[in-house]
Coordinates of all heavy atoms in Angstrom, one line a residue:
V1 N 0.8 -1.2 0.1 CA 0.0 0.0 0.0 C 0.9 1.3 0.0 O 0.6 2.2 -0.7 CB -1.0 0.0 1.2 CG1 -1.8 1.3 1.2 CG2 -1.9 -1.2 1.1
N2 N 2.0 1.2 0.7 CA 2.9 2.4 0.8 C 3.5 2.7 -0.6 O 3.6 3.9 -1.0 CB 4.0 2.2 1.9 CG 3.5 2.2 3.3 OD1 2.4 2.8 3.5 ND2 4.2 1.7 4.2
A3 N 3.8 1.6 -1.3 CA 4.4 1.8 -2.6 C 3.3 2.4 -3.5 O 3.7 3.4 -4.3 CB 4.8 0.5 -3.2
M4 N 2.1 2.0 -3.5 CA 1.1 2.6 -4.3 C 0.9 4.1 -4.0 O 0.7 4.9 -4.9 CB -0.3 1.9 -4.1 CG -0.2 0.4 -4.7 SD -1.7 -0.4 -4.2 CE -1.4 -2.0 -4.8
A5 N 0.8 4.4 -2.7 CA 0.5 5.7 -2.2 C 1.7 6.7 -2.7 O 1.3 7.9 -3.0 CB 0.5 5.8 -0.8
S6 N 2.8 6.2 -3.0 CA 4.0 7.0 -3.3 C 4.1 7.1 -4.8 O 5.0 7.8 -5.4 CB 5.3 6.5 -2.7 OG 5.7 5.3 -3.3
G7 N 3.2 6.4 -5.6 CA 3.3 6.4 -7.1 C 4.2 5.2 -7.7 O 4.5 5.2 -8.8
A8 N 4.7 4.4 -6.8 CA 5.6 3.3 -7.2 C 4.7 2.1 -7.5 O 3.6 1.9 -7.0 CB 6.6 2.9 -6.2
V9 N 5.1 1.3 -8.5 CA 4.4 0.0 -8.8 C 4.9 -1.0 -7.7 O 6.1 -1.4 -7.7 CB 4.7 -0.5 -10.1 CG1 4.0 -1.8 -10.4 CG2 4.2 0.5 -11.2
P10 N 4.0 -1.6 -6.9 CA 4.5 -2.6 -5.9 C 4.9 -3.9 -6.6 O 4.3 -4.4 -7.5 CB 3.2 -2.8 -5.0 CG 2.3 -1.7 -5.3 CD 2.6 -1.3 -6.7
V11 N 6.0 -4.6 -6.0 CA 6.5 -5.8 -6.5 C 6.2 -6.8 -5.4 O 6.7 -6.6 -4.3 CB 8.0 -5.7 -6.9 CG1 8.5 -7.1 -7.4 CG2 8.1 -4.7 -8.0
Y12 N 5.6 -7.9 -5.6 CA 5.2 -8.9 -4.6 C 5.9 -10.2 -4.9 O 5.6 -10.8 -6.0 CB 3.8 -9.0 -4.5 CG 3.3 -10.0 -3.4 CD1 3.4 -9.7 -2.1 CD2 2.9 -11.3 -3.8 CE1 3.1 -10.7 -1.1 CE2 2.5 -12.3 -2.8 CZ 2.6 -11.9 -1.5 OH 2.3 -12.8 -0.6
Y13 N 6.6 -10.9 -4.0 CA 7.2 -12.1 -4.1 C 6.7 -13.0 -3.0 O 7.0 -12.9 -1.9 CB 8.7 -12.1 -4.1 CG 9.4 -13.4 -4.2 CD1 9.2 -14.2 -5.2 CD2 10.3 -13.8 -3.1 CE1 9.9 -15.5 -5.2 CE2 10.9 -15.0 -3.1 CZ 10.7 -15.9 -4.1 OH 11.3 -17.0 -4.2
G14 N 5.6 -13.8 -3.4 CA 5.1 -14.7 -2.3 C 3.9 -15.4 -3.0 O 3.7 -15.5 -4.2
D15 N 3.0 -15.8 -2.2 CA 1.8 -16.6 -2.6 C 0.8 -15.7 -3.4 O 0.2 -14.8 -2.8 CB 1.1 -17.2 -1.4 CG -0.1 -18.1 -1.7 OD1 -0.7 -17.9 -2.8 OD2 -0.5 -18.9 -0.9
S16 N 0.8 -16.0 -4.7 CA 0.0 -15.0 -5.6 C -1.5 -15.0 -5.1 O -2.1 -13.9 -5.2 CB 0.0 -15.5 -7.0 OG 1.4 -15.5 -7.5
R17 N -2.1 -16.1 -4.8 CA -3.4 -16.2 -4.5 C -3.7 -15.5 -3.1 O -4.7 -14.8 -3.0 CB -3.9 -17.6 -4.4 CG -3.9 -18.2 -5.7 CD -4.5 -19.6 -5.7 NE -4.5 -20.2 -7.1 CZ -5.1 -21.2 -7.4 NH1 -5.8 -21.9 -6.6 NH2 -5.1 -21.7 -8.6
A18 N -2.8 -15.5 -2.2 CA -2.9 -14.8 -0.9 C -2.9 -13.3 -1.2 O -3.7 -12.6 -0.6 CB -1.9 -15.2 0.0
A19 N -2.0 -12.9 -2.1 CA -1.9 -11.4 -2.4 C -3.2 -10.9 -3.0 O -3.7 -9.8 -2.7 CB -0.8 -11.2 -3.3
R20 N -3.8 -11.8 -3.9 CA -5.1 -11.3 -4.6 C -6.3 -11.5 -3.6 O -7.3 -11.0 -4.0 CB -5.2 -12.0 -5.8 CG -4.2 -11.5 -6.9 CD -4.5 -12.0 -8.2 NE -3.9 -13.4 -8.3 CZ -3.8 -14.1 -9.3 NH1 -4.3 -13.7 -10.5 NH2 -3.2 -15.3 -9.3
K21 N -6.2 -12.0 -2.4 CA -7.2 -11.9 -1.5 C -7.3 -10.5 -0.9 O -8.3 -10.1 -0.4 CB -7.0 -12.9 -0.3 CG -7.3 -14.3 -0.7 CD -7.2 -15.2 0.5 CE -7.5 -16.6 0.2 NZ -7.5 -17.5 1.4
V22 N -6.2 -9.8 -1.0 CA -6.1 -8.4 -0.5 C -6.1 -7.3 -1.7 O -6.9 -6.4 -1.6 CB -4.9 -8.2 0.3 CG1 -4.8 -6.8 0.8 CG2 -4.8 -9.2 1.5
F23 N -5.3 -7.6 -2.7 CA -5.2 -6.6 -3.8 C -5.7 -7.1 -5.1 O -5.6 -8.3 -5.4 CB -3.7 -6.3 -4.0 CG -3.1 -5.6 -2.7 CD1 -2.2 -6.3 -1.9 CD2 -3.5 -4.3 -2.4 CE1 -1.7 -5.8 -0.8 CE2 -2.9 -3.7 -1.2 CZ -2.1 -4.4 -0.4
K24 N -6.3 -6.2 -5.8 CA -6.8 -6.5 -7.2 C -5.6 -7.0 -8.1 O -4.6 -6.4 -8.1 CB -7.5 -5.4 -7.9 CG -8.8 -5.1 -7.1 CD -9.5 -3.9 -7.7 CE -10.7 -3.5 -7.0 NZ -11.2 -2.2 -7.4
K25 N -5.9 -8.0 -8.9 CA -4.9 -8.4 -9.9 C -4.7 -7.2 -10.9 O -5.6 -6.5 -11.3 CB -5.5 -9.6 -10.8 CG -4.4 -10.1 -11.7 CD -5.0 -11.4 -12.4 CE -3.9 -11.9 -13.3 NZ -4.5 -13.1 -14.0
G26 N -3.4 -7.0 -11.2 CA -3.1 -5.8 -12.1 C -2.7 -4.6 -11.4 O -2.4 -3.5 -12.0
T27 N -2.8 -4.6 -10.0 CA -2.3 -3.4 -9.2 C -0.9 -3.5 -8.7 O -0.4 -2.7 -8.0 CB -3.3 -3.1 -8.1 OG1 -3.4 -4.2 -7.2 CG2 -4.7 -2.8 -8.6
F28 N -0.3 -4.7 -9.0 CA 1.1 -5.0 -8.5 C 1.7 -6.0 -9.4 O 1.1 -6.7 -10.1 CB 1.0 -5.5 -7.1 CG 0.3 -6.8 -6.9 CD1 1.0 -8.0 -6.9 CD2 -1.1 -6.9 -6.8 CE1 0.4 -9.2 -6.8 CE2 -1.8 -8.1 -6.6 CZ -1.0 -9.3 -6.6
V29 N 3.1 -5.9 -9.4 CA 3.8 -6.9 -10.2 C 3.9 -8.2 -9.3 O 4.5 -8.1 -8.2 CB 5.3 -6.4 -10.5 CG1 6.1 -7.5 -11.1 CG2 5.2 -5.3 -11.4
D30 N 3.4 -9.3 -9.8 CA 3.4 -10.5 -9.1 C 4.5 -11.4 -9.6 O 4.5 -11.9 -10.7 CB 2.0 -11.3 -9.3 CG 1.9 -12.5 -8.5 OD1 2.9 -13.1 -8.1 OD2 0.8 -13.0 -8.4
V31 N 5.6 -11.5 -8.8 CA 6.8 -12.1 -9.4 C 6.6 -13.5 -9.8 O 7.0 -13.9 -10.9 CB 8.0 -12.1 -8.3 CG1 9.1 -13.0 -8.6 CG2 8.4 -10.6 -8.0
L32 N 5.9 -14.4 -9.0 CA 5.6 -15.7 -9.4 C 4.8 -15.8 -10.6 O 4.9 -16.7 -11.4 CB 4.9 -16.5 -8.2 CG 5.9 -16.5 -7.0 CD1 5.1 -17.4 -5.9 CD2 7.1 -17.2 -7.3
E33 N 3.8 -14.9 -10.8 CA 3.0 -14.9 -12.0 C 3.8 -14.5 -13.2 O 3.5 -15.1 -14.3 CB 1.8 -13.8 -11.8 CG 0.9 -13.8 -12.9 CD -0.1 -14.9 -13.0 OE1 -0.1 -15.9 -12.2 OE2 -0.9 -14.9 -14.0
I34 N 4.7 -13.6 -13.1 CA 5.6 -13.3 -14.3 C 6.3 -14.4 -14.6 O 6.4 -14.8 -15.9 CB 6.5 -12.0 -13.9 CG1 5.7 -10.8 -13.5 CG2 7.5 -11.8 -15.0 CD1 4.7 -10.3 -14.6
W35 N 7.0 -15.1 -13.7 CA 7.7 -16.3 -14.1 C 6.9 -17.4 -14.8 O 7.2 -18.0 -15.7 CB 8.4 -16.9 -12.9 CG 9.7 -16.2 -12.4 CD1 10.5 -15.4 -13.2 CD2 10.2 -16.1 -11.1 NE1 11.5 -14.8 -12.4 CE2 11.3 -15.2 -11.1 CE3 9.7 -16.6 -9.9 CZ2 12.1 -15.0 -10.0 CZ3 10.4 -16.3 -8.7 CH2 11.6 -15.5 -8.8
R36 N 5.6 -17.5 -14.2 CA 4.7 -18.5 -14.8 C 4.3 -18.2 -16.1 O 4.3 -19.0 -17.1 CB 3.5 -18.7 -13.8 CG 2.6 -19.9 -14.3 CD 1.3 -19.8 -13.4 NE 0.4 -18.8 -13.7 CZ -0.4 -18.7 -14.9 NH1 -0.2 -19.6 -15.8 NH2 -1.1 -17.8 -15.0
L37 N 4.0 -16.9 -16.4 CA 3.6 -16.4 -17.8 C 4.7 -16.6 -18.7 O 4.5 -16.8 -19.9 CB 3.1 -15.0 -17.6 CG 1.8 -14.9 -16.9 CD1 1.5 -13.3 -16.8 CD2 0.6 -15.5 -17.7
K38 N 5.9 -16.5 -18.3 CA 7.0 -16.6 -19.2 C 7.5 -18.1 -19.3 O 8.5 -18.4 -19.9 CB 8.2 -15.8 -18.7 CG 7.9 -14.3 -18.9 CD 9.0 -13.4 -18.5 CE 8.7 -12.0 -18.6 NZ 8.6 -11.5 -20.1
R39 N 6.7 -19.0 -18.7 CA 7.1 -20.4 -18.6 C 8.5 -20.7 -18.1 O 9.2 -21.5 -18.6 CB 6.9 -21.0 -20.0 CG 5.5 -21.0 -20.5 CD 5.3 -21.6 -21.8 NE 4.1 -21.4 -22.5 CZ 2.9 -22.0 -22.1 NH1 2.9 -22.9 -21.2 NH2 1.8 -21.7 -22.8
H40 N 8.8 -19.9 -17.1 CA 10.1 -19.9 -16.4 C 10.0 -20.6 -15.0 O 9.2 -20.2 -14.2 CB 10.7 -18.5 -16.2 CG 12.0 -18.5 -15.6 ND1 13.2 -18.9 -16.3 CD2 12.4 -18.1 -14.4 CE1 14.2 -18.7 -15.4 NE2 13.7 -18.3 -14.3
V41 N 10.9 -21.6 -14.8 CA 11.0 -22.2 -13.5 C 12.2 -21.7 -12.7 O 13.3 -22.0 -13.2 CB 11.1 -23.8 -13.6 CG1 11.1 -24.4 -12.3 CG2 9.9 -24.3 -14.4
P42 N 12.0 -20.9 -11.7 CA 13.1 -20.3 -10.9 C 13.9 -21.3 -10.2 O 13.4 -22.4 -9.9 CB 12.5 -19.2 -10.1 CG 11.1 -19.8 -9.8 CD 10.7 -20.5 -11.1
G43 N 15.2 -20.9 -9.9 CA 16.0 -21.8 -9.1 C 16.9 -22.6 -9.9 O 16.9 -22.6 -11.2
D44 N 17.8 -23.3 -9.3 CA 18.8 -24.1 -9.9 C 18.2 -25.4 -10.3 O 17.7 -26.2 -9.4 CB 20.0 -24.4 -9.0 CG 21.1 -25.2 -9.5 OD1 20.9 -25.8 -10.6 OD2 22.2 -25.3 -9.0
P45 N 18.0 -25.7 -11.6 CA 17.4 -26.9 -12.0 C 18.0 -28.2 -11.5 O 17.2 -29.2 -11.4 CB 17.4 -26.9 -13.5 CG 18.4 -25.8 -13.9 CD 18.6 -25.0 -12.7
S46 N 19.2 -28.2 -11.1 CA 19.9 -29.4 -10.6 C 19.6 -29.6 -9.1 O 19.9 -30.6 -8.5 CB 21.4 -29.4 -10.9 OG 21.9 -28.3 -10.2
V47 N 19.0 -28.6 -8.4 CA 18.7 -28.6 -7.0 C 17.2 -28.3 -6.7 O 16.9 -27.1 -6.7 CB 19.6 -27.7 -6.2 CG1 19.3 -27.8 -4.7 CG2 21.0 -27.8 -6.5
P48 N 16.4 -29.3 -6.7 CA 15.0 -29.0 -6.5 C 14.7 -28.2 -5.2 O 15.4 -28.4 -4.2 CB 14.4 -30.4 -6.3 CG 15.3 -31.4 -6.9 CD 16.7 -30.7 -6.8
G49 N 13.8 -27.2 -5.3 CA 13.5 -26.3 -4.2 C 14.5 -25.3 -3.9 O 14.4 -24.5 -2.9
S50 N 15.5 -25.0 -4.8 CA 16.5 -24.1 -4.6 C 15.9 -22.7 -4.8 O 14.9 -22.5 -5.5 CB 17.7 -24.3 -5.5 OG 17.3 -24.1 -6.9
P51 N 16.5 -21.6 -4.1 CA 16.0 -20.3 -4.3 C 16.2 -19.7 -5.6 O 17.1 -20.3 -6.4 CB 16.8 -19.5 -3.2 CG 18.0 -20.2 -3.0 CD 17.7 -21.7 -3.2
P52 N 15.6 -18.7 -6.0 CA 15.8 -18.0 -7.2 C 17.2 -17.6 -7.5 O 17.8 -17.2 -6.5 CB 14.9 -16.8 -7.2 CG 13.8 -17.1 -6.3 CD 14.5 -18.0 -5.3
T53 N 17.7 -17.7 -8.7 CA 19.1 -17.3 -9.0 C 19.1 -15.9 -9.5 O 18.0 -15.2 -9.8 CB 19.5 -18.2 -10.2 OG1 18.8 -18.0 -11.4 CG2 19.5 -19.7 -9.8
Q54 N 20.2 -15.3 -9.7 CA 20.4 -14.0 -10.3 C 19.7 -13.9 -11.7 O 19.0 -12.9 -12.0 CB 21.8 -13.6 -10.4 CG 22.1 -12.2 -11.0 CD 21.5 -11.1 -10.0 OE1 21.7 -11.2 -8.8 NE2 20.8 -10.1 -10.6
A55 N 19.8 -14.9 -12.5 CA 19.1 -14.9 -13.8 C 17.6 -14.9 -13.6 O 17.0 -14.2 -14.5 CB 19.5 -16.2 -14.6
D56 N 17.1 -15.5 -12.6 CA 15.6 -15.4 -12.4 C 15.2 -14.0 -12.0 O 14.2 -13.5 -12.5 CB 15.3 -16.3 -11.2 CG 15.6 -17.8 -11.4 OD1 15.6 -18.3 -12.6 OD2 15.9 -18.5 -10.4
W57 N 16.0 -13.3 -11.2 CA 15.7 -11.9 -10.8 C 15.9 -11.0 -12.0 O 15.3 -10.0 -12.1 CB 16.5 -11.6 -9.6 CG 16.0 -12.3 -8.4 CD1 16.6 -13.2 -7.7 CD2 14.7 -12.2 -7.8 NE1 15.8 -13.7 -6.6 CE2 14.6 -13.1 -6.6 CE3 13.5 -11.4 -8.0 CZ2 13.5 -13.2 -5.9 CZ3 12.4 -11.6 -7.2 CH2 12.4 -12.4 -6.2
D58 N 16.9 -11.3 -12.9 CA 17.0 -10.5 -14.1 C 15.8 -10.5 -14.9 O 15.5 -9.4 -15.6 CB 18.2 -11.0 -14.9 CG 19.5 -10.8 -14.2 OD1 19.7 -9.9 -13.3 OD2 20.5 -11.3 -14.6
I59 N 15.0 -11.6 -15.0 CA 13.8 -11.6 -15.8 C 12.8 -10.6 -15.1 O 12.1 -9.9 -15.9 CB 13.2 -13.0 -15.8 CG1 14.1 -13.9 -16.6 CG2 11.7 -13.0 -16.2 CD1 13.7 -15.4 -16.5
I60 N 12.7 -10.6 -13.8 CA 11.8 -9.6 -13.2 C 12.3 -8.2 -13.3 O 11.5 -7.3 -13.6 CB 11.7 -10.0 -11.6 CG1 11.1 -11.4 -11.4 CG2 10.9 -8.9 -10.9 CD1 9.9 -11.7 -12.1
A61 N 13.6 -8.0 -13.2 CA 14.1 -6.7 -13.4 C 13.9 -6.1 -14.8 O 13.4 -4.9 -15.0 CB 15.7 -6.6 -13.2
D62 N 14.0 -7.0 -15.8 CA 13.6 -6.6 -17.2 C 12.2 -6.2 -17.4 O 11.8 -5.3 -18.1 CB 14.0 -7.8 -18.1 CG 15.5 -8.0 -18.3 OD1 16.3 -7.1 -18.0 OD2 15.9 -9.0 -18.9
H63 N 11.3 -7.0 -16.7 CA 9.9 -6.7 -16.7 C 9.6 -5.4 -16.0 O 8.8 -4.6 -16.6 CB 9.1 -7.8 -16.0 CG 7.7 -7.6 -16.1 ND1 7.0 -7.9 -17.2 CD2 6.8 -7.3 -15.1 CE1 5.6 -7.7 -16.9 NE2 5.5 -7.3 -15.7
I64 N 10.2 -5.0 -14.9 CA 10.0 -3.8 -14.3 C 10.6 -2.6 -15.1 O 9.9 -1.6 -15.2 CB 10.7 -3.8 -12.9 CG1 9.9 -4.8 -12.0 CG2 10.7 -2.4 -12.3 CD1 10.6 -5.1 -10.7
V65 N 11.7 -2.8 -15.7 CA 12.2 -1.7 -16.7 C 11.3 -1.5 -17.9 O 11.0 -0.4 -18.2 CB 13.7 -2.2 -17.2 CG1 14.1 -1.2 -18.3 CG2 14.6 -2.1 -16.1
T66 N 10.7 -2.6 -18.3 CA 9.7 -2.5 -19.5 C 8.4 -1.6 -19.0 O 8.0 -0.7 -19.7 CB 9.1 -3.9 -19.9 OG1 10.2 -4.6 -20.4 CG2 8.1 -3.7 -20.9
I67 N 8.0 -1.8 -17.8 CA 6.9 -1.0 -17.2 C 7.3 0.4 -17.1 O 6.6 1.3 -17.4 CB 6.5 -1.6 -15.8 CG1 5.8 -3.0 -15.9 CG2 5.5 -0.7 -15.1 CD1 5.7 -3.7 -14.6
D68 N 8.5 0.7 -16.6 CA 9.0 1.9 -16.3 C 9.1 2.8 -17.6 O 8.9 4.0 -17.6 CB 10.4 1.9 -15.6 CG 10.9 3.3 -15.3 OD1 10.2 4.0 -14.5 OD2 12.1 3.6 -15.7
R69 N 9.5 2.1 -18.7 CA 9.8 2.8 -20.0 C 8.5 2.9 -20.8 O 8.5 3.7 -21.9 CB 10.8 2.0 -20.8 CG 12.1 2.1 -20.2 CD 13.1 1.4 -21.0 NE 14.5 1.7 -20.4 CZ 15.5 0.9 -20.7 NH1 15.5 -0.1 -21.6 NH2 16.7 1.1 -20.1
D70 N 7.4 2.4 -20.4 CA 6.2 2.4 -21.2 C 5.1 3.2 -20.3 O 4.5 2.6 -19.5 CB 5.7 1.0 -21.5 CG 4.4 1.0 -22.4 OD1 3.7 2.0 -22.4 OD2 4.2 0.0 -23.0
P71 N 4.8 4.5 -20.6 CA 3.8 5.2 -19.8 C 2.5 4.6 -19.8 O 1.8 4.7 -18.7 CB 3.8 6.6 -20.5 CG 5.1 6.7 -21.2 CD 5.5 5.3 -21.6
E72 N 2.0 4.0 -20.9 CA 0.7 3.4 -20.9 C 0.7 2.1 -20.0 O -0.3 1.9 -19.3 CB 0.3 3.1 -22.3 CG 0.0 4.4 -23.1 CD -0.4 4.0 -24.5 OE1 -0.8 2.9 -24.8 OE2 -0.3 4.9 -25.4
L73 N 1.7 1.3 -20.0 CA 1.8 0.2 -19.2 C 1.9 0.6 -17.7 O 1.2 0.0 -16.9 CB 3.0 -0.7 -19.7 CG 3.1 -2.1 -19.0 CD1 1.9 -2.9 -19.1 CD2 4.4 -2.7 -19.5
Y74 N 2.7 1.6 -17.4 CA 2.7 2.1 -16.1 C 1.4 2.5 -15.6 O 1.1 2.2 -14.4 CB 3.8 3.1 -16.0 CG 3.9 3.8 -14.7 CD1 4.7 3.3 -13.6 CD2 3.2 5.0 -14.4 CE1 4.8 3.9 -12.4 CE2 3.3 5.6 -13.2 CZ 4.1 5.1 -12.2 OH 4.2 5.7 -11.0
A75 N 0.7 3.3 -16.4 CA -0.7 3.8 -16.0 C -1.7 2.7 -15.7 O -2.5 2.9 -14.9 CB -1.2 4.8 -17.1
Q76 N -1.5 1.5 -16.3 CA -2.4 0.4 -16.1 C -2.4 0.0 -14.6 O -3.5 -0.4 -14.1 CB -2.1 -0.8 -17.0 CG -2.4 -0.5 -18.4 CD -3.8 -0.4 -18.7 OE1 -4.7 -1.2 -18.3 NE2 -4.2 0.7 -19.4
F77 N -1.3 0.1 -13.9 CA -1.3 -0.2 -12.5 C -2.1 0.7 -11.6 O -2.4 0.4 -10.5 CB 0.1 -0.3 -12.0 CG 0.9 -1.5 -12.6 CD1 1.5 -1.4 -13.8 CD2 0.9 -2.7 -11.9 CE1 2.2 -2.5 -14.3 CE2 1.5 -3.8 -12.4 CZ 2.2 -3.7 -13.6
F78 N -2.4 1.9 -12.1 CA -3.1 2.9 -11.3 C -4.5 3.3 -11.8 O -5.1 4.3 -11.4 CB -2.2 4.2 -11.2 CG -0.9 3.9 -10.5 CD1 0.2 3.6 -11.4 CD2 -0.7 3.7 -9.2 CE1 1.5 3.3 -10.7 CE2 0.5 3.4 -8.6 CZ 1.6 3.2 -9.4
K79 N -5.0 2.5 -12.7 CA -6.3 2.7 -13.3 C -7.4 2.5 -12.3 O -8.6 3.0 -12.5 CB -6.5 2.0 -14.7 CG -6.7 0.5 -14.4 CD -6.9 -0.2 -15.7 CE -7.0 -1.8 -15.5 NZ -7.2 -2.4 -16.7
H80 N -7.2 1.7 -11.3 CA -8.2 1.4 -10.3 C -8.4 2.5 -9.3 O -7.4 3.0 -8.9 CB -7.9 0.1 -9.6 CG -7.7 -1.1 -10.5 ND1 -8.8 -1.7 -11.1 CD2 -6.6 -1.7 -11.0 CE1 -8.3 -2.7 -11.8 NE2 -7.0 -2.7 -11.8
T81 N -9.6 2.8 -8.9 CA -9.7 3.8 -7.9 C -9.4 3.2 -6.5 O -9.2 4.0 -5.6 CB -11.1 4.3 -7.9 OG1 -12.1 3.3 -7.7 CG2 -11.4 5.2 -9.2
N82 N -9.5 1.9 -6.4 CA -9.2 1.2 -5.1 C -8.5 -0.1 -5.5 O -9.0 -1.0 -6.2 CB -10.6 0.9 -4.5 CG -10.3 0.2 -3.1 OD1 -9.2 0.0 -2.7 ND2 -11.5 -0.1 -2.5
A83 N -7.2 -0.2 -4.9 CA -6.5 -1.4 -5.2 C -6.9 -2.6 -4.4 O -6.5 -3.7 -4.6 CB -5.0 -1.1 -5.0
L84 N -7.7 -2.4 -3.4 CA -8.1 -3.5 -2.5 C -9.2 -4.4 -3.2 O -10.1 -3.9 -3.8 CB -8.6 -2.9 -1.2 CG -7.6 -2.3 -0.3 CD1 -8.3 -1.7 1.0 CD2 -6.4 -3.1 0.0
N85 N -9.0 -5.7 -3.0 CA -9.9 -6.6 -3.6 C -11.1 -6.8 -2.6 O -11.0 -7.4 -1.6 CB -9.2 -7.9 -3.8 CG -10.1 -8.8 -4.7 OD1 -11.2 -8.6 -5.0 ND2 -9.5 -9.9 -5.2
E86 N -12.2 -6.1 -3.0 CA -13.4 -6.2 -2.1 C -14.2 -7.5 -2.2 O -15.1 -7.7 -1.3 CB -14.2 -5.0 -2.5 CG -13.5 -3.6 -2.1 CD -14.2 -2.4 -2.6 OE1 -15.3 -2.6 -3.3 OE2 -13.7 -1.3 -2.4
A87 N -14.0 -8.2 -3.2 CA -14.7 -9.5 -3.3 C -13.8 -10.6 -3.8 O -13.9 -11.2 -4.9 CB -15.8 -9.3 -4.4
P88 N -12.9 -11.1 -2.9 CA -11.9 -12.1 -3.2 C -12.5 -13.4 -3.6 O -12.0 -14.1 -4.3 CB -11.0 -12.2 -2.0 CG -11.7 -11.6 -0.9 CD -12.7 -10.6 -1.5
E89 N -13.7 -13.7 -3.0 CA -14.4 -14.9 -3.3 C -14.7 -15.0 -4.7 O -15.1 -16.1 -5.2 CB -15.6 -15.1 -2.4 CG -16.7 -14.1 -2.7 CD -16.6 -12.8 -2.0 OE1 -15.6 -12.5 -1.4 OE2 -17.6 -12.0 -2.1
R90 N -14.8 -14.0 -5.5 CA -15.1 -14.0 -7.0 C -13.8 -13.9 -7.8 O -14.0 -13.9 -9.0 CB -16.0 -12.8 -7.3 CG -17.4 -13.1 -6.8 CD -18.4 -12.0 -7.2 NE -18.3 -11.0 -6.2 CZ -18.8 -9.7 -6.2 NH1 -19.3 -9.4 -7.4 NH2 -18.6 -8.9 -5.3
E91 N -12.7 -14.0 -7.2 CA -11.4 -13.9 -8.0 C -11.3 -15.1 -8.8 O -11.4 -16.2 -8.3 CB -10.3 -13.7 -7.0 CG -9.0 -13.6 -7.8 CD -8.7 -12.2 -8.4 OE1 -9.2 -11.2 -7.7 OE2 -8.2 -12.2 -9.4
K92 N -11.0 -14.9 -10.1 CA -10.8 -16.1 -11.0 C -9.3 -16.2 -11.4 O -8.7 -15.1 -11.5 CB -11.6 -15.8 -12.3 CG -13.1 -15.9 -12.1 CD -13.6 -17.3 -11.6 CE -15.1 -17.3 -11.6 NZ -15.6 -18.4 -10.9
Y93 N -8.9 -17.4 -11.6 CA -7.5 -17.5 -12.0 C -7.3 -18.2 -13.4 O -8.3 -18.7 -13.9 CB -6.8 -18.4 -10.9 CG -6.8 -17.7 -9.6 CD1 -7.8 -17.9 -8.7 CD2 -5.7 -16.8 -9.3 CE1 -7.7 -17.2 -7.5 CE2 -5.7 -16.1 -8.1 CZ -6.7 -16.3 -7.2 OH -6.8 -15.6 -6.1
D94 N -6.2 -18.2 -13.9 CA -5.9 -18.7 -15.2 C -6.2 -20.2 -15.3 O -6.5 -20.7 -16.3 CB -4.5 -18.4 -15.6 CG -4.3 -16.9 -15.8 OD1 -5.2 -16.1 -16.1 OD2 -3.1 -16.4 -15.7
D95 N -6.0 -20.9 -14.2 CA -6.3 -22.3 -14.1 C -7.8 -22.6 -13.8 O -8.1 -23.8 -13.4 CB -5.3 -23.0 -13.3 CG -5.5 -22.5 -11.8 OD1 -6.3 -21.7 -11.5 OD2 -4.7 -23.0 -10.9
D96 N -8.7 -21.6 -13.9 CA -10.0 -21.9 -13.7 C -10.5 -22.1 -12.2 O -11.5 -22.7 -12.0 CB -10.7 -22.8 -14.6 CG -10.7 -22.4 -16.0 OD1 -10.8 -21.1 -16.3 OD2 -10.5 -23.2 -16.9
T97 N -9.6 -21.8 -11.3 CA -10.0 -22.1 -9.9 C -10.4 -20.7 -9.3 O -10.1 -19.7 -9.9 CB -8.8 -22.7 -9.1 OG1 -7.7 -21.8 -9.1 CG2 -8.4 -24.1 -9.6
S98 N -11.1 -20.8 -8.2 CA -11.5 -19.5 -7.5 C -11.4 -19.8 -6.0 O -11.2 -20.9 -5.5 CB -12.9 -19.1 -7.8 OG -13.8 -20.1 -7.5
F99 N -11.4 -18.6 -5.3 CA -11.3 -18.7 -3.8 C -12.7 -19.3 -3.2 O -13.7 -19.0 -3.7 CB -11.2 -17.4 -3.1 CG -9.8 -16.9 -3.3 CD1 -9.6 -15.6 -3.9 CD2 -8.7 -17.6 -2.8 CE1 -8.3 -15.2 -4.0 CE2 -7.4 -17.1 -2.8 CZ -7.2 -15.9 -3.4
E100 N -12.6 -20.0 -2.1 CA -13.8 -20.4 -1.5 C -13.6 -19.9 0.0 O -12.8 -20.4 0.7 CB -13.9 -21.9 -1.4 CG -14.2 -22.5 -2.8 CD -15.5 -22.1 -3.4 OE1 -16.4 -21.9 -2.6 OE2 -15.5 -22.1 -4.6
L101 N -14.4 -18.9 0.3 CA -14.3 -18.4 1.7 C -15.3 -18.9 2.6 O -16.3 -19.4 2.2 CB -14.6 -16.9 1.6 CG -13.5 -16.1 0.8 CD1 -13.9 -14.6 0.9 CD2 -12.1 -16.3 1.4

């Protein structure tokens, strides 16, 4: 919320569904969602469960730079009058699942 109030685009690294119980999709950069959309599996492929590598974070940095350089894309993050998700039980996901409260 502080990032939004200051005009910055928030970047979230954690449980995507938990974040969307609070914030509307499209009001923040969802690190795990970006990797998923790019069909990227973070971490060292030879070590299951390993933390993200520098190359993984470079993908996110490139995405953030793209947002910063495109005024229309940047503006999309602030098109909502309220970033809070007031009806998380109706949130739909790309895999056709939804929240059950």
Side-chain angles (χ1 to χ4, degrees):
V1 175
N2 290 338
M4 290 175 187
S6 70
V9 175
V11 178
Y12 179 77
Y13 174 57
D15 184 334
S16 298
R17 291 181 181 195
R20 285 188 281 184
K21 284 185 178 182
V22 178
F23 299 104
K24 291 177 183 171
K25 184 176 181 179
T27 61
F28 61 98
V29 172
D30 182 343
V31 171
L32 297 179
E33 181 76 359
I34 298 304
W35 285 331
R36 189 184 71 72
L37 291 173
K38 294 183 179 288
R39 300 183 190 279
H40 179 76
V41 178
D44 182 345
S46 65
V47 182
S50 64
T53 64
Q54 182 62 46
D56 301 328
W57 290 112
D58 288 346
I59 291 169
I60 300 305
D62 290 344
H63 184 74
I64 292 168
V65 168
T66 299
I67 294 167
D68 184 56
R69 291 182 177 164
D70 184 337
E72 290 180 19
L73 185 56
Y74 175 83
Q76 290 295 310
F77 288 89
F78 301 97
K79 70 180 180 181
H80 303 282
T81 56
N82 181 1
L84 296 179
N85 193 349
E86 296 169 358
E89 66 277 4
R90 287 185 269 166
E91 183 74 37
K92 297 290 184 194
Y93 295 93
D94 296 334
D95 60 2
D96 292 328
T97 59
S98 62
F99 284 123
E100 295 297 328
L101 297 179

